[in-house]
Amino acid sequence: INSFLESYDFTGKTIILHTNDTHGAIDGFPYLKALKNSLIEEGNNVLLFDAGDFSIYGKKAFDELKKRYEAN
């Protein structure tokens, strides 16, 4: 995907990022955040959606993430 992103000019575009069925597996979220921020810094409008099945209660990573969201 990185080669695709580097070869396409997204300047001024509205970009939709989407996740689905992550089930609390948040390992890729830092990459997604960096991608979103990079696209915004380039002057793009970015929409980020999650279609559900995000959580599996009792997973340590999910519990930590839930605390962070509740704190904000």
Side-chain angles (χ1 to χ4, degrees):
I1 191 166
N2 288 335
S3 61
F4 170 76
L5 293 175
E6 292 170 4
S7 67
Y8 190 82
D9 182 14
F10 288 102
T11 306
K13 304 288 185 185
T14 297
I15 300 165
I16 300 171
L17 302 175
H18 174 269
T19 60
N20 190 37
D21 293 331
T22 58
H23 296 284
I26 60 172
D27 297 345
F29 282 17
Y31 171 78
L32 185 60
K33 178 182 178 181
L35 174 61
K36 177 182 172 244
N37 290 344
S38 174
L39 292 167
I40 289 171
E41 288 172 7
E42 293 173 3
N44 302 292
N45 297 308
V46 180
L47 302 172
L48 176 59
F49 294 98
D50 180 75
D53 287 346
F54 173 78
S55 65
I56 291 184
Y57 291 95
K59 275 193 164 184
K60 185 176 180 181
F62 172 74
D63 292 342
E64 182 61 32
L65 185 63
K66 183 178 178 205
K67 287 179 196 174
R68 291 182 194 175
Y69 277 116
E70 290 174 347
N72 293 323

Short mmCIF file of all heavy atoms in Angstrom, two decimals:
data_model
loop_
_atom_site.label_atom_id
_atom_site.label_comp_id
_atom_site.label_asym_id
_atom_site.label_seq_id
_atom_site.Cartn_x
_atom_site.Cartn_y
_atom_site.Cartn_z
N ILE A 1 0.83 -1.20 0.00
CA ILE A 1 0.00 0.00 0.00
C ILE A 1 0.87 1.26 0.00
O ILE A 1 0.48 2.26 -0.57
CB ILE A 1 -1.00 -0.02 1.18
CG1 ILE A 1 -2.03 1.09 1.01
CG2 ILE A 1 -0.29 0.13 2.51
CD1 ILE A 1 -3.22 0.97 1.88
N ASN A 2 2.05 1.21 0.61
CA ASN A 2 2.89 2.40 0.65
C ASN A 2 3.29 2.86 -0.74
O ASN A 2 3.33 4.05 -1.02
CB ASN A 2 4.13 2.16 1.52
CG ASN A 2 3.80 2.11 2.99
OD1 ASN A 2 2.80 2.67 3.41
ND2 ASN A 2 4.61 1.44 3.75
N SER A 3 3.63 1.93 -1.64
CA SER A 3 4.02 2.32 -2.99
C SER A 3 2.84 2.97 -3.71
O SER A 3 3.02 3.90 -4.50
CB SER A 3 4.55 1.13 -3.78
OG SER A 3 3.55 0.14 -3.90
N PHE A 4 1.63 2.49 -3.46
CA PHE A 4 0.44 3.11 -4.04
C PHE A 4 0.29 4.53 -3.53
O PHE A 4 0.04 5.46 -4.30
CB PHE A 4 -0.81 2.30 -3.72
CG PHE A 4 -2.09 3.02 -4.10
CD1 PHE A 4 -2.48 3.10 -5.43
CD2 PHE A 4 -2.88 3.61 -3.13
CE1 PHE A 4 -3.65 3.77 -5.79
CE2 PHE A 4 -4.04 4.28 -3.47
CZ PHE A 4 -4.43 4.35 -4.81
N LEU A 5 0.43 4.72 -2.24
CA LEU A 5 0.26 6.04 -1.67
C LEU A 5 1.30 7.01 -2.19
O LEU A 5 1.01 8.17 -2.42
CB LEU A 5 0.33 5.96 -0.14
CG LEU A 5 -0.81 5.22 0.55
CD1 LEU A 5 -0.55 5.11 2.03
CD2 LEU A 5 -2.14 5.88 0.28
N GLU A 6 2.52 6.53 -2.38
CA GLU A 6 3.58 7.39 -2.86
C GLU A 6 3.40 7.75 -4.33
O GLU A 6 3.86 8.79 -4.78
CB GLU A 6 4.93 6.72 -2.64
CG GLU A 6 5.28 6.62 -1.16
CD GLU A 6 6.50 5.75 -0.90
OE1 GLU A 6 7.12 5.28 -1.88
OE2 GLU A 6 6.83 5.56 0.28
N SER A 7 2.74 6.91 -5.09
CA SER A 7 2.61 7.15 -6.53
C SER A 7 1.36 7.95 -6.90
O SER A 7 1.19 8.31 -8.05
CB SER A 7 2.60 5.82 -7.29
OG SER A 7 1.42 5.10 -6.99
N TYR A 8 0.50 8.24 -5.97
CA TYR A 8 -0.75 8.93 -6.25
C TYR A 8 -0.78 10.28 -5.57
O TYR A 8 -0.39 10.42 -4.41
CB TYR A 8 -1.95 8.08 -5.79
CG TYR A 8 -3.27 8.61 -6.26
CD1 TYR A 8 -3.74 8.34 -7.53
CD2 TYR A 8 -4.05 9.40 -5.44
CE1 TYR A 8 -4.95 8.84 -7.99
CE2 TYR A 8 -5.26 9.92 -5.87
CZ TYR A 8 -5.71 9.62 -7.15
OH TYR A 8 -6.90 10.13 -7.59
N ASP A 9 -1.23 11.29 -6.26
CA ASP A 9 -1.34 12.63 -5.69
C ASP A 9 -2.72 12.81 -5.07
O ASP A 9 -3.71 12.94 -5.77
CB ASP A 9 -1.11 13.67 -6.78
CG ASP A 9 -1.17 15.09 -6.24
OD1 ASP A 9 -1.11 15.27 -5.00
OD2 ASP A 9 -1.28 16.02 -7.05
N PHE A 10 -2.76 12.82 -3.75
CA PHE A 10 -4.02 12.96 -3.02
C PHE A 10 -4.34 14.42 -2.69
O PHE A 10 -5.34 14.70 -2.04
CB PHE A 10 -3.97 12.17 -1.71
CG PHE A 10 -4.02 10.69 -1.87
CD1 PHE A 10 -2.87 9.93 -1.77
CD2 PHE A 10 -5.22 10.05 -2.11
CE1 PHE A 10 -2.92 8.56 -1.90
CE2 PHE A 10 -5.28 8.68 -2.24
CZ PHE A 10 -4.12 7.93 -2.13
N THR A 11 -3.51 15.34 -3.09
CA THR A 11 -3.64 16.73 -2.70
C THR A 11 -5.06 17.26 -2.95
O THR A 11 -5.58 17.16 -4.05
CB THR A 11 -2.62 17.61 -3.45
OG1 THR A 11 -1.32 17.08 -3.25
CG2 THR A 11 -2.68 19.04 -2.96
N GLY A 12 -5.65 17.80 -1.88
CA GLY A 12 -6.97 18.40 -1.98
C GLY A 12 -8.13 17.41 -2.06
O GLY A 12 -9.26 17.81 -2.26
N LYS A 13 -7.86 16.15 -1.90
CA LYS A 13 -8.90 15.13 -2.01
C LYS A 13 -9.53 14.87 -0.64
O LYS A 13 -8.96 15.17 0.40
CB LYS A 13 -8.31 13.80 -2.51
CG LYS A 13 -7.58 13.90 -3.82
CD LYS A 13 -8.52 14.10 -4.96
CE LYS A 13 -7.76 14.08 -6.28
NZ LYS A 13 -8.54 14.38 -7.42
N THR A 14 -10.72 14.30 -0.66
CA THR A 14 -11.32 13.76 0.55
C THR A 14 -11.04 12.27 0.55
O THR A 14 -11.36 11.57 -0.41
CB THR A 14 -12.84 14.02 0.59
OG1 THR A 14 -13.06 15.43 0.63
CG2 THR A 14 -13.47 13.38 1.82
N ILE A 15 -10.41 11.81 1.61
CA ILE A 15 -9.98 10.42 1.70
C ILE A 15 -10.74 9.74 2.83
O ILE A 15 -10.84 10.27 3.93
CB ILE A 15 -8.47 10.34 1.95
CG1 ILE A 15 -7.74 11.01 0.79
CG2 ILE A 15 -8.02 8.90 2.14
CD1 ILE A 15 -6.30 11.32 1.07
N ILE A 16 -11.28 8.57 2.54
CA ILE A 16 -12.01 7.80 3.54
C ILE A 16 -11.15 6.61 3.95
O ILE A 16 -10.76 5.79 3.12
CB ILE A 16 -13.36 7.31 3.00
CG1 ILE A 16 -14.23 8.51 2.61
CG2 ILE A 16 -14.07 6.43 4.04
CD1 ILE A 16 -15.50 8.14 1.88
N LEU A 17 -10.83 6.53 5.24
CA LEU A 17 -10.13 5.38 5.81
C LEU A 17 -11.17 4.58 6.59
O LEU A 17 -12.01 5.16 7.29
CB LEU A 17 -9.00 5.83 6.73
CG LEU A 17 -7.93 6.72 6.09
CD1 LEU A 17 -6.94 7.19 7.14
CD2 LEU A 17 -7.21 5.98 4.97
N HIS A 18 -11.09 3.27 6.52
CA HIS A 18 -12.14 2.42 7.07
C HIS A 18 -11.53 1.19 7.73
O HIS A 18 -10.61 0.58 7.19
CB HIS A 18 -13.05 1.99 5.92
CG HIS A 18 -14.09 1.00 6.31
ND1 HIS A 18 -13.88 -0.35 6.23
CD2 HIS A 18 -15.33 1.17 6.79
CE1 HIS A 18 -14.97 -0.98 6.64
NE2 HIS A 18 -15.86 -0.08 6.98
N THR A 19 -12.03 0.86 8.90
CA THR A 19 -11.66 -0.40 9.55
C THR A 19 -12.93 -1.18 9.85
O THR A 19 -14.01 -0.61 9.95
CB THR A 19 -10.87 -0.18 10.86
OG1 THR A 19 -11.69 0.57 11.76
CG2 THR A 19 -9.58 0.57 10.61
N ASN A 20 -12.78 -2.48 10.02
CA ASN A 20 -13.92 -3.33 10.29
C ASN A 20 -13.42 -4.62 10.95
O ASN A 20 -12.36 -5.14 10.59
CB ASN A 20 -14.65 -3.66 8.98
CG ASN A 20 -15.98 -4.34 9.24
OD1 ASN A 20 -16.67 -4.03 10.19
ND2 ASN A 20 -16.32 -5.27 8.38
N ASP A 21 -14.19 -5.13 11.87
CA ASP A 21 -13.89 -6.42 12.52
C ASP A 21 -12.49 -6.48 13.11
O ASP A 21 -11.77 -7.48 12.95
CB ASP A 21 -14.09 -7.58 11.54
CG ASP A 21 -15.54 -7.76 11.15
OD1 ASP A 21 -16.41 -7.43 11.98
OD2 ASP A 21 -15.81 -8.21 10.04
N THR A 22 -12.08 -5.46 13.83
CA THR A 22 -10.75 -5.49 14.43
C THR A 22 -10.71 -6.33 15.71
O THR A 22 -9.65 -6.78 16.11
CB THR A 22 -10.26 -4.07 14.76
OG1 THR A 22 -11.19 -3.44 15.64
CG2 THR A 22 -10.08 -3.25 13.50
N HIS A 23 -11.84 -6.51 16.35
CA HIS A 23 -11.97 -7.36 17.55
C HIS A 23 -10.91 -7.04 18.61
O HIS A 23 -10.33 -7.93 19.19
CB HIS A 23 -11.91 -8.84 17.17
CG HIS A 23 -13.05 -9.26 16.31
ND1 HIS A 23 -14.31 -9.46 16.80
CD2 HIS A 23 -13.12 -9.48 14.97
CE1 HIS A 23 -15.12 -9.81 15.82
NE2 HIS A 23 -14.43 -9.82 14.69
N GLY A 24 -10.64 -5.76 18.80
CA GLY A 24 -9.70 -5.35 19.84
C GLY A 24 -8.25 -5.50 19.45
O GLY A 24 -7.37 -5.18 20.24
N ALA A 25 -7.96 -5.97 18.25
CA ALA A 25 -6.57 -6.09 17.79
C ALA A 25 -6.14 -4.73 17.27
O ALA A 25 -6.44 -4.35 16.14
CB ALA A 25 -6.47 -7.16 16.71
N ILE A 26 -5.45 -3.99 18.10
CA ILE A 26 -5.14 -2.60 17.78
C ILE A 26 -3.69 -2.40 17.34
O ILE A 26 -3.22 -1.27 17.28
CB ILE A 26 -5.48 -1.69 18.98
CG1 ILE A 26 -4.67 -2.09 20.20
CG2 ILE A 26 -6.97 -1.72 19.26
CD1 ILE A 26 -4.80 -1.13 21.37
N ASP A 27 -3.01 -3.45 17.00
CA ASP A 27 -1.60 -3.35 16.63
C ASP A 27 -1.36 -2.41 15.45
O ASP A 27 -0.34 -1.74 15.39
CB ASP A 27 -1.03 -4.73 16.30
CG ASP A 27 -1.06 -5.67 17.48
OD1 ASP A 27 -1.25 -5.20 18.61
OD2 ASP A 27 -0.89 -6.89 17.27
N GLY A 28 -2.28 -2.36 14.51
CA GLY A 28 -2.11 -1.50 13.34
C GLY A 28 -2.59 -0.08 13.53
O GLY A 28 -2.43 0.76 12.63
N PHE A 29 -3.16 0.24 14.68
CA PHE A 29 -3.71 1.58 14.89
C PHE A 29 -2.66 2.68 14.84
O PHE A 29 -2.93 3.76 14.31
CB PHE A 29 -4.49 1.64 16.20
CG PHE A 29 -5.88 1.04 16.11
CD1 PHE A 29 -6.23 0.19 15.07
CD2 PHE A 29 -6.82 1.32 17.06
CE1 PHE A 29 -7.50 -0.36 14.99
CE2 PHE A 29 -8.10 0.77 16.99
CZ PHE A 29 -8.43 -0.06 15.95
N PRO A 30 -1.45 2.48 15.38
CA PRO A 30 -0.43 3.55 15.24
C PRO A 30 -0.12 3.85 13.77
O PRO A 30 0.06 5.02 13.40
CB PRO A 30 0.79 2.98 15.96
CG PRO A 30 0.20 2.05 16.97
CD PRO A 30 -0.98 1.43 16.26
N TYR A 31 -0.07 2.83 12.92
CA TYR A 31 0.15 3.05 11.49
C TYR A 31 -1.02 3.84 10.89
O TYR A 31 -0.82 4.78 10.13
CB TYR A 31 0.32 1.72 10.76
CG TYR A 31 0.33 1.90 9.26
CD1 TYR A 31 1.47 2.36 8.61
CD2 TYR A 31 -0.80 1.63 8.50
CE1 TYR A 31 1.48 2.54 7.24
CE2 TYR A 31 -0.80 1.81 7.13
CZ TYR A 31 0.34 2.27 6.50
OH TYR A 31 0.33 2.46 5.15
N LEU A 32 -2.23 3.47 11.26
CA LEU A 32 -3.41 4.16 10.75
C LEU A 32 -3.41 5.62 11.18
O LEU A 32 -3.72 6.52 10.39
CB LEU A 32 -4.67 3.45 11.24
CG LEU A 32 -6.01 3.94 10.71
CD1 LEU A 32 -6.08 3.82 9.20
CD2 LEU A 32 -7.14 3.17 11.36
N LYS A 33 -3.04 5.87 12.42
CA LYS A 33 -2.97 7.24 12.92
C LYS A 33 -1.92 8.04 12.15
O LYS A 33 -2.17 9.18 11.76
CB LYS A 33 -2.65 7.26 14.42
CG LYS A 33 -2.53 8.64 14.98
CD LYS A 33 -2.17 8.63 16.44
CE LYS A 33 -2.02 10.05 16.95
NZ LYS A 33 -1.65 10.11 18.35
N ALA A 34 -0.74 7.44 11.94
CA ALA A 34 0.32 8.12 11.21
C ALA A 34 -0.10 8.40 9.77
O ALA A 34 0.19 9.48 9.23
CB ALA A 34 1.60 7.29 11.24
N LEU A 35 -0.77 7.45 9.15
CA LEU A 35 -1.25 7.63 7.78
C LEU A 35 -2.26 8.78 7.73
O LEU A 35 -2.16 9.68 6.89
CB LEU A 35 -1.89 6.34 7.27
CG LEU A 35 -2.58 6.42 5.91
CD1 LEU A 35 -1.58 6.80 4.82
CD2 LEU A 35 -3.24 5.08 5.60
N LYS A 36 -3.21 8.77 8.64
CA LYS A 36 -4.23 9.83 8.70
C LYS A 36 -3.58 11.19 8.90
O LYS A 36 -3.87 12.15 8.18
CB LYS A 36 -5.22 9.54 9.83
CG LYS A 36 -6.27 10.60 10.01
CD LYS A 36 -7.18 10.26 11.18
CE LYS A 36 -8.10 11.41 11.48
NZ LYS A 36 -7.88 11.99 12.78
N ASN A 37 -2.68 11.29 9.86
CA ASN A 37 -2.01 12.57 10.13
C ASN A 37 -1.19 13.05 8.94
O ASN A 37 -1.19 14.24 8.63
CB ASN A 37 -1.14 12.45 11.38
CG ASN A 37 -1.95 12.33 12.65
OD1 ASN A 37 -3.14 12.61 12.67
ND2 ASN A 37 -1.31 11.86 13.71
N SER A 38 -0.51 12.14 8.29
CA SER A 38 0.29 12.48 7.12
C SER A 38 -0.58 13.03 5.99
O SER A 38 -0.24 14.03 5.35
CB SER A 38 1.06 11.25 6.63
OG SER A 38 1.74 11.52 5.44
N LEU A 39 -1.71 12.39 5.76
CA LEU A 39 -2.62 12.85 4.71
C LEU A 39 -3.21 14.21 5.04
O LEU A 39 -3.37 15.06 4.16
CB LEU A 39 -3.73 11.81 4.49
CG LEU A 39 -3.27 10.49 3.88
CD1 LEU A 39 -4.36 9.44 4.00
CD2 LEU A 39 -2.85 10.68 2.43
N ILE A 40 -3.51 14.45 6.32
CA ILE A 40 -4.04 15.74 6.75
C ILE A 40 -2.99 16.82 6.58
O ILE A 40 -3.28 17.92 6.10
CB ILE A 40 -4.55 15.67 8.21
CG1 ILE A 40 -5.82 14.84 8.27
CG2 ILE A 40 -4.79 17.08 8.77
CD1 ILE A 40 -6.28 14.53 9.69
N GLU A 41 -1.74 16.51 6.95
CA GLU A 41 -0.65 17.49 6.82
C GLU A 41 -0.44 17.89 5.36
O GLU A 41 0.02 19.00 5.09
CB GLU A 41 0.64 16.92 7.40
CG GLU A 41 0.64 16.85 8.91
CD GLU A 41 1.84 16.12 9.47
OE1 GLU A 41 2.76 15.78 8.69
OE2 GLU A 41 1.86 15.88 10.68
N GLU A 42 -0.78 17.01 4.43
CA GLU A 42 -0.64 17.30 3.00
C GLU A 42 -1.83 18.11 2.47
O GLU A 42 -1.90 18.39 1.28
CB GLU A 42 -0.49 16.01 2.22
CG GLU A 42 0.80 15.28 2.51
CD GLU A 42 0.87 13.91 1.86
OE1 GLU A 42 -0.07 13.53 1.13
OE2 GLU A 42 1.87 13.22 2.09
N GLY A 43 -2.76 18.47 3.35
CA GLY A 43 -3.88 19.32 2.95
C GLY A 43 -5.13 18.58 2.52
O GLY A 43 -6.00 19.16 1.89
N ASN A 44 -5.22 17.31 2.86
CA ASN A 44 -6.39 16.51 2.48
C ASN A 44 -7.43 16.49 3.59
O ASN A 44 -7.11 16.67 4.76
CB ASN A 44 -5.96 15.07 2.19
CG ASN A 44 -4.93 15.00 1.10
OD1 ASN A 44 -5.21 15.28 -0.05
ND2 ASN A 44 -3.71 14.65 1.47
N ASN A 45 -8.67 16.27 3.21
CA ASN A 45 -9.73 16.01 4.17
C ASN A 45 -9.77 14.50 4.40
O ASN A 45 -9.84 13.74 3.43
CB ASN A 45 -11.08 16.47 3.63
CG ASN A 45 -11.11 17.95 3.39
OD1 ASN A 45 -10.77 18.73 4.27
ND2 ASN A 45 -11.49 18.36 2.20
N VAL A 46 -9.70 14.08 5.65
CA VAL A 46 -9.66 12.66 5.95
C VAL A 46 -10.80 12.29 6.88
O VAL A 46 -11.00 12.91 7.92
CB VAL A 46 -8.31 12.26 6.60
CG1 VAL A 46 -8.28 10.78 6.91
CG2 VAL A 46 -7.14 12.64 5.69
N LEU A 47 -11.57 11.29 6.49
CA LEU A 47 -12.64 10.73 7.32
C LEU A 47 -12.21 9.34 7.73
O LEU A 47 -11.78 8.54 6.90
CB LEU A 47 -13.94 10.66 6.53
CG LEU A 47 -14.46 11.97 5.96
CD1 LEU A 47 -15.66 11.71 5.05
CD2 LEU A 47 -14.82 12.93 7.07
N LEU A 48 -12.32 9.04 9.01
CA LEU A 48 -11.94 7.73 9.53
C LEU A 48 -13.17 7.08 10.15
O LEU A 48 -13.78 7.64 11.05
CB LEU A 48 -10.82 7.87 10.57
CG LEU A 48 -10.38 6.60 11.29
CD1 LEU A 48 -9.88 5.55 10.30
CD2 LEU A 48 -9.29 6.94 12.30
N PHE A 49 -13.51 5.91 9.64
CA PHE A 49 -14.69 5.19 10.11
C PHE A 49 -14.30 3.80 10.61
O PHE A 49 -13.39 3.18 10.08
CB PHE A 49 -15.71 5.00 8.97
CG PHE A 49 -16.31 6.27 8.47
CD1 PHE A 49 -15.80 6.89 7.34
CD2 PHE A 49 -17.37 6.86 9.13
CE1 PHE A 49 -16.35 8.07 6.87
CE2 PHE A 49 -17.92 8.05 8.66
CZ PHE A 49 -17.41 8.64 7.53
N ASP A 50 -15.03 3.33 11.60
CA ASP A 50 -14.93 1.95 12.04
C ASP A 50 -16.33 1.35 11.98
O ASP A 50 -17.27 1.94 12.51
CB ASP A 50 -14.38 1.84 13.46
CG ASP A 50 -14.28 0.40 13.90
OD1 ASP A 50 -13.37 -0.30 13.43
OD2 ASP A 50 -15.15 -0.03 14.67
N ALA A 51 -16.46 0.21 11.35
CA ALA A 51 -17.78 -0.38 11.13
C ALA A 51 -18.19 -1.37 12.21
O ALA A 51 -19.17 -2.08 12.05
CB ALA A 51 -17.83 -1.05 9.75
N GLY A 52 -17.46 -1.43 13.27
CA GLY A 52 -17.91 -2.26 14.38
C GLY A 52 -17.07 -3.49 14.64
O GLY A 52 -16.03 -3.70 14.04
N ASP A 53 -17.56 -4.30 15.56
CA ASP A 53 -16.83 -5.48 16.04
C ASP A 53 -15.45 -5.10 16.52
O ASP A 53 -14.47 -5.79 16.28
CB ASP A 53 -16.74 -6.58 14.97
CG ASP A 53 -18.07 -7.27 14.77
OD1 ASP A 53 -18.94 -7.09 15.63
OD2 ASP A 53 -18.22 -7.99 13.78
N PHE A 54 -15.38 -3.96 17.19
CA PHE A 54 -14.10 -3.44 17.66
C PHE A 54 -13.61 -4.16 18.90
O PHE A 54 -12.43 -4.45 19.04
CB PHE A 54 -14.22 -1.94 17.94
CG PHE A 54 -12.99 -1.36 18.58
CD1 PHE A 54 -11.89 -1.08 17.81
CD2 PHE A 54 -12.95 -1.11 19.93
CE1 PHE A 54 -10.75 -0.56 18.39
CE2 PHE A 54 -11.82 -0.59 20.51
CZ PHE A 54 -10.71 -0.31 19.74
N SER A 55 -14.50 -4.46 19.81
CA SER A 55 -14.06 -4.85 21.14
C SER A 55 -14.26 -6.32 21.46
O SER A 55 -15.20 -6.96 21.03
CB SER A 55 -14.80 -4.03 22.19
OG SER A 55 -16.17 -4.33 22.15
N ILE A 56 -13.31 -6.79 22.21
CA ILE A 56 -13.48 -8.05 22.93
C ILE A 56 -13.07 -7.72 24.36
O ILE A 56 -11.90 -7.49 24.64
CB ILE A 56 -12.59 -9.17 22.36
CG1 ILE A 56 -13.07 -9.57 20.99
CG2 ILE A 56 -12.57 -10.37 23.30
CD1 ILE A 56 -12.35 -10.72 20.36
N TYR A 57 -14.05 -7.60 25.22
CA TYR A 57 -13.77 -7.23 26.59
C TYR A 57 -12.87 -8.25 27.25
O TYR A 57 -12.96 -9.44 26.99
CB TYR A 57 -15.08 -7.08 27.38
CG TYR A 57 -15.88 -5.89 26.93
CD1 TYR A 57 -16.88 -6.02 25.99
CD2 TYR A 57 -15.58 -4.64 27.42
CE1 TYR A 57 -17.60 -4.92 25.55
CE2 TYR A 57 -16.29 -3.52 26.99
CZ TYR A 57 -17.30 -3.68 26.06
OH TYR A 57 -17.99 -2.58 25.63
N GLY A 58 -11.99 -7.73 28.09
CA GLY A 58 -11.07 -8.60 28.80
C GLY A 58 -9.69 -8.65 28.16
O GLY A 58 -8.75 -9.11 28.77
N LYS A 59 -9.56 -8.18 26.92
CA LYS A 59 -8.25 -8.09 26.31
C LYS A 59 -7.53 -6.88 26.91
O LYS A 59 -8.07 -5.79 26.96
CB LYS A 59 -8.34 -7.90 24.80
CG LYS A 59 -8.48 -9.17 24.04
CD LYS A 59 -8.24 -8.88 22.57
CE LYS A 59 -8.00 -10.18 21.85
NZ LYS A 59 -7.67 -9.94 20.44
N LYS A 60 -6.31 -7.08 27.35
CA LYS A 60 -5.57 -6.01 28.00
C LYS A 60 -5.44 -4.79 27.10
O LYS A 60 -5.64 -3.66 27.54
CB LYS A 60 -4.19 -6.51 28.41
CG LYS A 60 -3.42 -5.50 29.20
CD LYS A 60 -2.09 -6.05 29.66
CE LYS A 60 -1.34 -4.99 30.44
NZ LYS A 60 -0.05 -5.44 30.90
N ALA A 61 -5.13 -4.98 25.83
CA ALA A 61 -4.97 -3.85 24.91
C ALA A 61 -6.26 -3.08 24.78
O ALA A 61 -6.27 -1.84 24.76
CB ALA A 61 -4.49 -4.35 23.55
N PHE A 62 -7.38 -3.78 24.68
CA PHE A 62 -8.67 -3.10 24.56
C PHE A 62 -8.99 -2.33 25.83
O PHE A 62 -9.44 -1.18 25.78
CB PHE A 62 -9.79 -4.07 24.24
CG PHE A 62 -11.14 -3.39 24.29
CD1 PHE A 62 -11.53 -2.54 23.28
CD2 PHE A 62 -11.97 -3.57 25.38
CE1 PHE A 62 -12.74 -1.88 23.35
CE2 PHE A 62 -13.19 -2.92 25.45
CZ PHE A 62 -13.58 -2.07 24.42
N ASP A 63 -8.76 -2.95 26.97
CA ASP A 63 -9.06 -2.29 28.23
C ASP A 63 -8.26 -0.99 28.38
O ASP A 63 -8.78 0.03 28.83
CB ASP A 63 -8.77 -3.22 29.41
CG ASP A 63 -9.74 -4.39 29.47
OD1 ASP A 63 -10.81 -4.31 28.84
OD2 ASP A 63 -9.40 -5.39 30.13
N GLU A 64 -6.99 -1.02 27.96
CA GLU A 64 -6.15 0.18 28.03
C GLU A 64 -6.67 1.25 27.08
O GLU A 64 -6.75 2.42 27.44
CB GLU A 64 -4.70 -0.17 27.69
CG GLU A 64 -3.75 1.00 27.78
CD GLU A 64 -3.66 1.63 29.16
OE1 GLU A 64 -3.79 0.89 30.17
OE2 GLU A 64 -3.46 2.86 29.24
N LEU A 65 -7.03 0.87 25.88
CA LEU A 65 -7.55 1.83 24.91
C LEU A 65 -8.86 2.43 25.40
O LEU A 65 -9.08 3.63 25.28
CB LEU A 65 -7.76 1.15 23.56
CG LEU A 65 -8.19 2.05 22.41
CD1 LEU A 65 -7.11 3.10 22.12
CD2 LEU A 65 -8.49 1.23 21.17
N LYS A 66 -9.71 1.63 26.00
CA LYS A 66 -10.99 2.11 26.52
C LYS A 66 -10.74 3.17 27.60
O LYS A 66 -11.42 4.21 27.62
CB LYS A 66 -11.79 0.95 27.08
CG LYS A 66 -13.16 1.35 27.58
CD LYS A 66 -13.93 0.15 28.08
CE LYS A 66 -15.28 0.60 28.60
NZ LYS A 66 -15.84 -0.28 29.58
N LYS A 67 -9.77 2.95 28.46
CA LYS A 67 -9.44 3.94 29.50
C LYS A 67 -9.03 5.27 28.87
O LYS A 67 -9.41 6.34 29.34
CB LYS A 67 -8.31 3.42 30.38
CG LYS A 67 -8.70 2.33 31.31
CD LYS A 67 -7.48 1.88 32.10
CE LYS A 67 -7.72 0.55 32.76
NZ LYS A 67 -6.51 0.03 33.41
N ARG A 68 -8.23 5.20 27.80
CA ARG A 68 -7.78 6.43 27.14
C ARG A 68 -8.95 7.18 26.53
O ARG A 68 -9.02 8.40 26.62
CB ARG A 68 -6.76 6.10 26.04
CG ARG A 68 -5.46 5.61 26.57
CD ARG A 68 -4.49 5.35 25.45
NE ARG A 68 -3.37 4.57 25.92
CZ ARG A 68 -2.42 4.13 25.13
NH1 ARG A 68 -2.47 4.37 23.83
NH2 ARG A 68 -1.44 3.43 25.63
N TYR A 69 -9.87 6.48 25.88
CA TYR A 69 -11.03 7.14 25.28
C TYR A 69 -11.94 7.74 26.34
O TYR A 69 -12.46 8.83 26.16
CB TYR A 69 -11.83 6.17 24.40
CG TYR A 69 -11.27 6.01 23.03
CD1 TYR A 69 -10.78 4.77 22.60
CD2 TYR A 69 -11.21 7.08 22.13
CE1 TYR A 69 -10.26 4.63 21.33
CE2 TYR A 69 -10.69 6.92 20.87
CZ TYR A 69 -10.23 5.70 20.47
OH TYR A 69 -9.71 5.55 19.21
N GLU A 70 -12.12 7.03 27.44
CA GLU A 70 -12.97 7.54 28.50
C GLU A 70 -12.37 8.76 29.17
O GLU A 70 -13.09 9.62 29.67
CB GLU A 70 -13.26 6.43 29.51
CG GLU A 70 -14.17 5.36 28.96
CD GLU A 70 -14.35 4.18 29.90
OE1 GLU A 70 -13.58 4.05 30.88
OE2 GLU A 70 -15.25 3.37 29.65
N ALA A 71 -11.05 8.86 29.18
CA ALA A 71 -10.36 9.98 29.81
C ALA A 71 -10.54 11.26 28.98
O ALA A 71 -10.44 12.37 29.52
CB ALA A 71 -8.88 9.68 29.99
N ASN A 72 -10.78 11.09 27.69
CA ASN A 72 -10.93 12.28 26.83
C ASN A 72 -12.37 12.61 26.77
O ASN A 72 -13.04 13.30 26.41
CB ASN A 72 -10.37 12.02 25.43
CG ASN A 72 -8.88 11.85 25.50
OD1 ASN A 72 -8.22 12.52 26.27
ND2 ASN A 72 -8.34 10.96 24.70
#
